[in-house]
Amino acid sequence: MEYQTAFYQELAEVKDLILKMGVLVQELINKSVDSLKNRDRDLAKQVIKKDLAVDRLELEIDEKCINLIALRQPKAFDLRFITTGMRLVTDLERIGDLAEDIAERAIEVSDQPLLKPLIDIPKMAKLAEEAVKLGLDAFINSDAEKTKEIWAIEKQVNKLRDLVHDELIEIMGKDSSTVAKGIPLLLVSRHLERISDHATNIAEDVVYMVEAKVVKHPATQEK
Amino acid sequence: MDRVIEKVKKEEKMVIERSKMSVENLSAWFGDKQALFNINIELFENKVTAIIGPSGCGKSTFIRNLNRLHETISGAKVSGKVYLDGRDIFDHNCCDVVTLRRRVGMVFQKPTPFPTMTIYENVAAGIKLYGKKPKGKLDQIVEQILKQAALWDEVKDVLYKPGPSLSGGQQQRLCIARALAIEPEVILLDEPCSALDPISTAKIEELIHKLKQNYTIIIVTHNMQQAARVADYTAFFLLGEMIEFEVTSKIFTAPQDKRTEDYVTGRFG
């Protein structure tokens, strides 16, 4: 194989691995909330176990990226692609951890009926998963346009988090015996909101990769 | 004595490397001055090994021992063993120096095409010098070798022009072609790109990458980035000693010796 072709082949491998990791964390978000909704301990345990695969992928991708930087001295887009890839896997790994946290909450509440039927939490999960998917698509296709929707989704998730928050505080305020069941749900809404935050990190990084423009921390850009 | 060393690299999958040349306790002197101290290294078949280190560290002296060029210098001395496919190259009973230099070819820092010969003759000279009767027609062999050296497309219409009329990078590839013409097994490259511009350098690096499928390559370079790009293994030399020898990615991401770390990060000096 041609030397330069071999380099692009290695970049493509990194891309494939990131895609694989992204698909896996989307699955974990989905399953963790399903396990909560259906009080399915086995499914929750599966999520916890699968997070290990996410961790392994993070290490593998990191190592490949470090070697590419050390051995190939990438420049311009290639360099931005690799550094963005490294940031992306950190976010994806954190998202995997948050899905694991949700699964742990699901196990905590699995032996008794839920405090209330879950309506907004599954909505939040769907939106957070969608935001991660958009971020990944934008990265894979080097398409900064695709990231725009992510910020709108994050706002929706924040709103839902506030709704869940207010509702649970009200229930727990009225009856303190519900606190043990309410806190895990409160935490889950917080975890889902964090997941959508990580999706916005991905969006910022993809914009940097594609347009070489820094859009994070806008306050630092003001003159 | 046949002596073949295999190194097993334990990573995700097991990779077995076959040693093409094996160096044991090699020391070399220029008169009273010792230039190399007890070098031990395995040079693996179909791999590129880079020798890096600051000026005067003995890297050129080292590779000039691999085809016994060092001893042609007056007052030069050498001790230790160098095995090629398990046979000691210093043992006159099993290896004569002409055969050795055919099997272990060399390309130097400055392109050295034969000045009075045409491009065609430069390659043909290699074939004729070797003395083996060409299997096919000479024209075909010259074409095939120039293609192997990634030079054919650029010179096919000017084959009968003098070798030195080519650009520096083309001349260097012509020298590689001439080295390939004698059907070597090992190719020693002593700073082959130091006189070349970045585009020519990239072409030579591409060529090295291609050639390793059929040859064992040892390249001396003071350009660390070049070693990182082309080599599978890298050895770091300092003051005539080999400080570290490892898989290239390890040398450039996690060197074991502080001196290697200082050199590859540019803190050395």
Side-chain angles (χ1 to χ4, degrees):
Chain A
M1 189 190 295
E2 299 282 311
Y3 174 70
Q4 199 58 22
T5 318
F7 171 57
Y8 290 123
Q9 180 72 37
E10 286 169 62
L11 289 181
E13 274 171 29
V14 168
K15 201 185 235 190
D16 285 350
L17 283 171
I18 291 175
L19 181 62
K20 189 172 163 192
M21 190 175 173
V23 169
L24 193 55
V25 301
Q26 284 173 65
E27 183 192 330
L28 295 190
I29 301 170
N30 190 298
K31 285 190 170 165
S32 65
V33 174
D34 271 358
S35 74
L36 176 74
K37 206 164 66 181
N38 304 321
R39 293 187 293 136
D40 185 342
R41 282 178 83 93
D42 290 340
L43 189 60
K45 280 182 185 160
Q46 255 185 51
V47 170
I48 293 167
K49 208 170 156 195
K50 268 204 172 167
D51 183 52
L52 255 181
V54 174
D55 294 348
R56 277 195 207 104
L57 276 167
E58 184 198 16
L59 297 178
E60 187 183 348
I61 295 164
D62 257 350
E63 192 189 341
K64 278 191 191 294
C65 289
I66 289 170
N67 281 340
L68 279 168
I69 293 172
L71 305 184
R72 303 297 203 136
Q73 302 107 40
K75 311 276 185 310
F77 180 83
D78 296 339
L79 179 62
R80 297 202 305 276
F81 169 82
I82 294 169
T83 51
T84 299
M86 291 177 83
R87 288 189 189 133
L88 223 77
V89 295
T90 308
D91 280 308
L92 291 175
E93 190 273 333
R94 291 294 300 131
I95 295 173
D97 284 351
L98 289 163
E100 189 186 355
D101 289 341
I102 295 171
E104 280 167 2
R105 302 293 84 75
I107 292 172
E108 269 172 42
V109 298
S110 63
D111 53 356
Q112 46 196 315
L114 287 169
L115 178 60
K116 62 178 273 305
L118 298 184
I119 300 159
D120 291 332
I121 285 181
K123 270 191 211 161
M124 286 178 79
K126 224 178 166 95
L127 286 167
E129 195 188 325
E130 176 64 16
V132 175
K133 185 180 178 300
L134 281 168
L136 265 178
D137 283 353
F139 173 73
I140 298 297
N141 301 309
S142 300
D143 181 355
E145 265 313 290
K146 276 210 164 82
T147 63
K148 286 185 175 157
E149 217 182 309
I150 295 174
W151 277 279
I153 292 179
E154 191 236 3
K155 283 198 181 86
Q156 287 182 55
V157 174
N158 285 351
K159 249 185 208 160
L160 286 169
R161 190 260 336 260
D162 291 345
L163 279 177
V164 172
H165 215 259
D166 293 348
E167 195 184 2
L168 287 171
I169 297 281
E170 196 187 328
I171 297 173
M172 291 188 286
K174 281 182 187 158
D175 178 2
S176 61
S177 71
T178 59
V179 169
K181 281 183 181 178
I183 297 279
L185 297 182
L186 206 61
L187 286 171
V188 168
S189 71
R190 164 80 181 144
H191 297 328
L192 289 168
E193 185 264 324
R194 289 294 302 140
I195 289 176
S196 67
D197 284 347
H198 283 290
T200 62
N201 288 351
I202 293 174
E204 289 164 351
D205 290 336
V206 172
V207 172
Y208 169 72
M209 177 181 88
V210 179
E211 298 175 356
K213 223 164 60 187
V214 178
V215 291
K216 60 167 96 176
H217 312 311
T220 63
Q221 313 294 322
E222 283 167 16
K223 298 212 170 140
Chain B
M1 180 191 66
D2 275 348
R3 186 174 168 287
V4 175
I5 289 182
E6 289 182 342
K7 178 178 171 169
V8 177
K9 202 169 74 183
K10 280 178 188 145
E11 282 181 359
E12 283 162 29
K13 48 187 176 197
M14 207 169 261
V15 183
I16 298 174
E17 312 277 33
R18 183 182 176 278
S19 187
K20 181 71 183 174
M21 293 190 89
S22 226
V23 177
E24 272 182 18
N25 294 321
L26 182 75
S27 293
W29 290 260
F30 291 98
D32 293 336
K33 192 181 177 320
Q34 189 165 357
L36 288 177
F37 297 83
N38 287 318
I39 307 294
N40 289 284
I41 188 172
E42 303 296 331
L43 302 162
F44 298 114
E45 191 164 48
N46 299 124
K47 296 286 167 199
V48 179
T49 302
I51 315 290
I52 60 168
S55 298
C57 69
K59 47 192 194 299
S60 290
T61 307
F62 171 70
I63 66 160
R64 290 168 68 88
N65 270 293
L66 299 180
N67 67 352
R68 294 181 54 186
L69 268 187
H70 173 70
E71 61 200 66
T72 59
I73 296 165
S74 126
K77 233 176 18 185
V78 59
S79 78
K81 306 256 186 221
V82 176
Y83 298 95
L84 173 63
D85 283 336
R87 287 168 171 260
D88 185 2
I89 65 167
F90 297 122
D91 179 350
H92 298 279
N93 292 325
C94 68
C95 192
D96 75 277
V97 77
V98 176
T99 309
L100 171 70
R101 289 189 192 140
R102 185 200 58 76
R103 295 178 67 192
V104 183
M106 192 159 191
V107 174
F108 298 91
Q109 183 171 356
K110 213 175 143 219
T112 51
F114 296 135
T116 56
M117 290 186 189
T118 64
I119 294 163
Y120 179 95
E121 285 165 346
N122 260 279
V123 181
I127 301 164
K128 286 176 192 160
L129 271 176
Y130 171 27
K132 197 169 141 187
K133 211 177 160 202
K135 279 181 215 135
K137 282 188 181 158
L138 193 58
D139 288 359
Q140 283 169 354
I141 299 171
V142 169
E143 178 179 336
Q144 184 200 328
I145 289 167
L146 284 168
K147 277 182 177 162
Q148 232 189 322
L151 191 59
W152 175 251
D153 288 342
E154 292 163 57
V155 301
K156 62 181 180 216
D157 300 324
V158 290
L159 282 176
Y160 298 101
K161 284 202 170 171
S165 66
L166 296 171
S167 75
Q170 288 170 328
Q171 285 185 34
Q172 196 61 303
R173 276 179 283 148
L174 181 60
C175 292
I176 293 176
R178 195 178 58 200
L180 295 178
I182 57 167
E183 296 180 17
E185 295 155 47
V186 179
I187 303 172
L188 309 174
L189 301 165
D190 191 357
E191 305 262 17
C193 302
S194 63
L196 306 183
D197 66 273
I199 302 285
S200 306
T201 298
K203 282 194 175 154
I204 300 271
E205 288 178 6
E206 186 83 49
L207 177 59
I208 292 169
H209 185 73
K210 243 194 277 174
L211 290 176
K212 77 171 177 183
Q213 288 159 16
N214 301 312
Y215 306 92
T216 300
I217 295 171
I218 295 115
I219 176 171
V220 161
T221 175
H222 54 208
N223 179 340
M224 278 180 286
Q225 284 77 24
Q226 180 167 64
R229 287 192 296 266
V230 302
D232 300 291
Y233 289 87
T234 297
F236 170 57
F237 278 49
L238 183 64
L239 300 170
E241 280 182 70
M242 191 178 77
I243 306 298
E244 194 164 345
F245 171 61
E246 248 306 344
V247 174
T248 299
S249 60
K250 216 144 177 231
I251 290 280
F252 289 96
T253 58
Q256 295 301 297
D257 194 287
K258 175 84 170 59
R259 290 165 292 180
T260 316
E261 170 102 28
D262 287 349
Y263 183 70
V264 298
T265 54
R267 289 196 185 91
F268 185 83

